[in-house]
Each structure stands twice: as C-alpha cells, then as structure tokens.
Amino acid sequence: MGLDVLVIGAGNAGLCAAITAVEAGCSVLVIDAAQKDMRGGNTRHTRNLRAMHDAPTDVLTDAYSFEEYFDDLMRVTKGLTNRELARLTLEKSAELTAWLGERGVRFQPALSGTLNLGRTNAFFLGGGRALLNSLCHHAEDLGVAFRYEAEVTELKMDDGFCHGVVLTDGEVLSAKRVIITAGGFEANLEWLAEGWGDAARNFLVRGTPHNRGAVLKSLLDQGARKVGELDQCHAVAIDARAPLTDGGIASRIDGVPFGLVINRNAERFYDEGEDFWPKRYAIWGRLVAGQPDQVAYAILDAEGVSRFMPSVFTPISADTIEDLADKLGLDAAATRRTVDAFNAACPDGPIDQSILDGQSTSGLTPEKTNWAARIETPPFTGYPLRPGITFTYMGVEVNDRAEILMEDGRPSRNLYAAGEVMAGNVLGQGYLAGIGMTIGGVFGRIAGAEAALRLNRPNNSTVTTKARA
Ligand SMILES: Cc1cc2nc3c(=O)[nH]c(=O)nc-3n(C[C@H](O)[C@H](O)[C@H](O)COP(=O)(O)OP(=O)(O)OC[C@H]3O[C@@H](n4cnc5c(N)ncnc54)[C@H](O)[C@@H]3O)c2cc1C
C-alpha cells in the first residue's frame, strides 16, 4: 500500500485536508465523482465563511468574539450540538482566513445584499469557484494528485479499518489513511424521502448532483456511528423554476419579508416578518415543504419588489391581483380575498426594513409582525416557491481529531471525516450563514494533520486539536 492519504471529495473540506497532509510530507490522492470542470461540489456555490475575530482583520470588520459566535450557534441549534466540537470549530475558525490566504485564496469586502454579514463573514473574491481553483492549484503545485470522474460506490471495511475504496467500474483503491469529504446526501431524493416522505420528491437541490451519500451509506452500513436526524438539513425557499440541481445562489427568493406568502389554496401559513431575513431565510424551505404539493407563492407589489435583490428568474407580473393569480395558476377570487384581508389588517404608515419595525397586522392568523405594508401598488409580482435543499445534517460522528467513531465508541483506525458528511456533529438543527465552510475548513485541516501525524509525518501546520477547556 504505497499511498499515504486518499481523500474522497474535492470540495472545501477535501482540499483543506489534502493540502494539510501534503504539506506535512504525505503522498496524497484526491478523487471526485464529478468531471474536472464541475469539481468542488457545493463549495462551487459558496460566497463566504464565518470566522471568529477579536479585532478587525484585513478581511473582517470590528470583532466577533468566541462568546458571541457560540451564543449564535446555541440559539440556532437550540443546543443540539456537540459542545466540544462546536468550541473547536469556532476557535479554529479564527485561523482560517489567514491559512486560506497563504494558499492563494483572496477575499473581498462583504457584499451588501440581503444578509448583512460584513462583520461576521469573510467573502471570497470570485466566490467558491475562485477559492477552489486557488486551492486546487496550490495542492497540485505541492504534488497532490487528482482523479476526476472517480465515483466511490462503497468502502471495504473490516473492524473499523478501511482497506479498499471501490469505484463504479469496480476498481479498488487503497491508502494508509482515508479522509471522507464526499458531502451529504442532499441530491439523493429517494434517501431524503425516508425522512420526509413523498414531499422530498418535490424538492430542488441547490447544489451538486453528485452528493448522493454513497460513501456515507457505506460507512453507516458498516458500523460507523450516526449523528443527526434524517430530515435535518439546510433548506431555503427558491424559485420553483430553478433546475433540479445546481441552481445555486441566484435562485433564492429573498422577498418574503416584503410581501405575503400563500400556498396552493391561496392561504397564508406563516409570519413573513417574524425576524430579519438572515435569521429566517433558512426556515422557509422547511415551511414550503410542509404545504400541499410543496409549493408556495410570494406576492409583492411594486414597492415591495424594490426592497430586495431579485432572483435570476424573470418576475411574473400583472396589473391586477386577479391577473397575477391566473398567471401563477392560483384561484383568482381566493387570492383576492387573502390579499384584501391582509391589506385590511395592515397598519398605516411606512415600514423600515433596517429595523424590526413592529409594523404588524392585527386580527390575522398568522399575523405578519414586522414590515406589514399593504399590497396595493401595481404592477403586482409573484414568485412560485419550492423547497431548495442546500445540505443534509445526518452524517458520521467524529471526535476532536476528525476520526470517525464506530458504534462501540472507538475511533476507526484509518478513517477521518470533514465537511458536510460530519456537519451534523455541530449542526443538529438550524443554521448560521457561513458556518458550512467553516466546519469543512476546520475539520479538513484537522483530518489532514491527524492522518499525517499517525503516519509519523512531521506536521508544520499551526493547527492543533486542543479544544477550549
Ligand atoms: C447554493 C449554495 C450556496 C452556499 N453558500 C454557502 C456560503 O456562502 N457559505 C457557507 O459556509 N456554506 C455555503 N453553502 C454550503 C457549503 O456549500 C457546504 O457547507 C460546503 O461547501 C461543504 O463542503 P464539502 O467539502 O463538505 O462538500 P462539497 O463541496 O459538496 O464537496 C463534496 C465533493 O464530494 C464529491 N462526491 C460526492 N459523492 C462522491 C462519491 N461517491 N465519490 C466521489 N466523490 C464524491 C462531490 O462531487 C463533491 O465534489 C452553500 C451551499 C449551496 C448549495
């Protein structure tokens, strides 16, 4: 067995692992199911990562303390997280931008879109694709080998030891250490249906079609310990006209807080103004998934439409609510009734989207508790919405060395995991924008360093795996 480290999956987590291992002197092969020009899975679609910092840095403003980050994580997960691994993730996030910068990744000032993340999140110049290209070039320069269109169907394991990685054509690869960075199973609608029922068949996949969970399934079938629940995931409301996979960021609809959202029966079903959009956008995929046929419609007027960044699809517009309903395939009279009832319940006065303005409807079920403004200025616009799944949380349990734990609690002897495939250790539910890339970067580096350490390769990297006590 000549190869030191085999990395399965060439996204952010895999590249961080591969680079760390090669820098420590290991021979490294990275394989990926995708063809070369589609390499990098969901990482291709990303824009930023969330990093702790005690003072302004060259890429982040102000400060974002460990305590604040930890509180944010506890709030969104409602405490459903492995606290030790969460602490490790947050603490190590402070090193990430400098580490990536030293390996060719460039950052830019925060985009001033709907999510307002300038203080907490570092934005990649050129987005996730540019990050991937920089990391791939750096890895290649250091001698990492890459193989594309190499899809793993299963792992050959014996008592927690992986002695073979089987590809679709039957070829078996082996290495002393194997790092699993093959993403979640969000593109496997059949598997999702086991948790979501038939509703999953109407989901759209925001990212790569390749994250189908074959490696995860093989691990779980052979005694790796499961973390997270089958139906926990990040899912947003996206334009129903988006393609089945890889629609990316441009299909997300951010106009929900500035209009109303109705289901197929023209009924409202949730408070569109519950909180600022960055704190609520990630629940709307699940909300739409709960509606008949997993479809909903955001309805706005000319004033509302001007308040957010539009999606890539042409808005569907009409001069009257009835005509709009016709174009959307909704019952015109029922839609009119819902809009009229909403308008009658709206307060007078302008809304202020920069604050939770308390401009609430009164007498509706459910109320819209902020930014309630009448839908009265034509043209009226509608966006059909579907649940867009970003990534799944059910994965394999790991320890603070990124080693995969087996059912008896012992770590595997040569298997590590990083990124989406183990994100559920930190994210039991909920989401904090930018933490997906942080989890992958932190655990990718740890996995690469630990694999090298176990092979007695000196590790020059600054990464340590000691969590904050
Ligand atoms: C539209 C969109 C926008 C996002 N924006 C952000 C953002 O701005 N910030 C953020 O933190 N997160 C964001 N995310 C989430 C983020 O993409 C992920 O958390 C992160 O990229 C995961 O990295 P990864 O390396 O674990 O997986 P990936 O980047 O998905 O890489 C997994 C790789 O494994 C390969 N693979 C899968 N199965 C196999 C197999 N059987 N054999 C071989 N190879 C296989 C895939 O081809 C893929 O290249 C976004 C996701 C989407 C879809």
Side-chain angles (χ1 to χ4, degrees):
M1 205 191 278
L3 181 66
D4 288 333
V5 177
L6 175 62
V7 178
I8 305 176
N12 171 54
L15 293 171
C16 290
I19 289 170
T20 306
V22 77
E23 286 179 356
C26 297
S27 56
V28 181
L29 170 65
V30 180
I31 61 173
D32 199 288
Q35 58 197 52
K36 185 174 178 183
D37 59 355
M38 294 289 278
R39 69 184 178 191
N42 283 348
T43 302
R44 288 172 302 141
H45 292 293
T46 63
R47 299 187 302 172
N48 57 62
L49 62 81
R50 182 173 289 249
M52 159 192 150
H53 51 289
D54 289 327
T57 74
D58 50 346
V59 296
L60 289 157
T61 58
D62 206 348
Y64 187 44
S65 69
F66 173 86
E67 289 72 21
E68 186 182 355
Y69 199 160
F70 196 75
D71 284 351
D72 284 345
L73 184 65
M74 286 301 140
R75 190 172 29 77
V76 297
T77 60
K78 299 190 168 71
L80 215 54
T81 181
N82 176 323
R83 284 172 180 251
E84 185 197 359
L85 300 186
R87 283 196 175 90
L88 180 61
T89 306
L90 273 43
E91 214 165 57
K92 293 295 163 201
S93 76
E95 299 168 4
L96 268 185
T97 56
W99 189 88
L100 291 167
E102 285 159 14
R103 285 148 188 87
V105 176
R106 295 288 167 262
F107 294 89
Q108 66 174 75
L111 300 175
S112 59
T114 329
L115 296 187
N116 304 318
L117 297 168
R119 182 171 65 89
T120 54
N121 289 34
F123 281 71
F124 318 128
L125 180 65
R129 272 180 195 273
L131 169 136
L132 283 162
N133 287 339
S134 301
L135 293 182
C136 282
H137 291 153
H138 183 75
E140 281 162 355
D141 286 348
L142 295 177
V144 173
F146 284 84
R147 266 184 72 179
Y148 300 101
E149 298 176 63
E151 183 178 350
V152 175
T153 54
E154 62 168 318
L155 305 180
K156 288 193 173 297
M157 285 175 62
D158 192 8
D159 192 24
F161 184 85
C162 175
H163 52 85
V165 170
V166 186
L167 305 186
T168 38
D169 63 2
E171 185 183 358
V172 180
L173 305 175
S174 50
K176 293 171 193 142
R177 294 286 180 275
V178 179
I179 302 178
I180 312 297
T181 51
F185 58 99
E186 54 275 355
N188 187 337
L189 298 185
E190 298 78 33
W191 196 356
L192 288 173
E194 291 175 24
W196 285 87
D198 280 347
R201 307 199 193 278
N202 284 326
F203 289 7
L204 299 173
V205 180
R206 300 177 71 210
T208 177
H210 294 291
N211 287 0
R212 297 183 46 79
V215 184
L216 172 61
K217 194 159 227 143
S218 184
L219 282 165
L220 296 177
D221 286 348
Q222 294 179 83
R225 204 183 249 187
K226 176 176 88 72
V227 73
E229 297 305 320
L230 191 49
D231 67 346
Q232 286 301 332
C233 61
H234 181 282
V236 305
I238 64 171
D239 198 304
R241 294 165 291 178
L244 178 59
T245 62
D246 260 341
I249 192 84
S251 60
R252 197 177 74 202
I253 302 293
D254 288 337
V256 168
F258 310 118
L260 56 80
V261 180
I262 54 180
N263 63 17
R264 190 192 62 184
N265 304 325
E267 294 158 343
R268 286 180 61 248
F269 53 89
Y270 199 81
D271 178 1
E272 301 89 345
E274 189 178 40
D275 205 341
F276 288 117
W277 193 231
K279 296 183 182 169
R280 282 295 169 272
Y281 78 105
I283 69 169
W284 276 84
R286 188 169 286 273
L287 290 171
V288 176
Q291 297 308 305
D293 292 341
Q294 294 71 53
V295 68
Y297 303 85
I299 308 285
L300 300 109
D301 72 357
E303 220 265 319
V305 153
S306 67
R307 291 183 177 271
F308 64 98
M309 216 190 302
S311 88
V312 73
F313 296 95
T314 311
I316 297 169
S317 294
D319 285 334
T320 67
I321 291 292
E322 287 81 355
D323 285 350
L324 180 64
D326 277 345
K327 285 185 174 178
L328 293 171
L330 292 166
D331 183 281
T335 306
R336 176 85 259 172
R337 276 196 302 279
T338 298
V339 172
D340 284 349
F342 176 81
N343 285 349
C346 281
D348 290 327
I351 63 169
D352 181 351
Q353 72 186 84
S354 67
I355 54 169
L356 291 174
D357 68 358
Q359 287 284 79
S360 174
T361 56
S362 56
L364 284 187
T365 308
E367 302 286 11
K368 179 175 179 182
T369 53
N370 289 289
W371 315 301
R374 292 186 190 94
I375 296 174
E376 58 188 1
T377 310
F380 302 102
T381 293
Y383 292 95
L385 306 175
R386 287 267 183 217
I389 184 159
T390 319
F391 67 96
T392 45
Y393 294 173
M394 189 182 82
V396 286
E397 192 170 330
V398 296
N399 62 17
D400 63 358
R401 292 190 292 274
E403 293 166 323
I404 294 177
L405 299 181
M406 305 307 292
E407 265 157 7
D408 62 7
R410 280 183 305 166
S412 155
R413 286 182 284 143
N414 70 338
L415 279 167
Y416 305 82
E420 282 181 10
V421 71
M422 50 64 65
N425 288 268
V426 178
L427 287 170
Q429 62 182 6
Y431 189 66
L432 265 186
I435 201 169
M437 290 293 282
T438 303
I439 294 170
V442 167
F443 278 90
R445 291 183 66 204
I446 292 173
E450 287 294 330
L453 204 65
R454 296 303 164 104
L455 293 167
N456 293 321
R457 301 289 192 277
N459 193 324
N460 300 322
S461 161
T462 52
V463 74
T464 60
T465 57
K466 184 99 184 69
R468 185 179 285 229

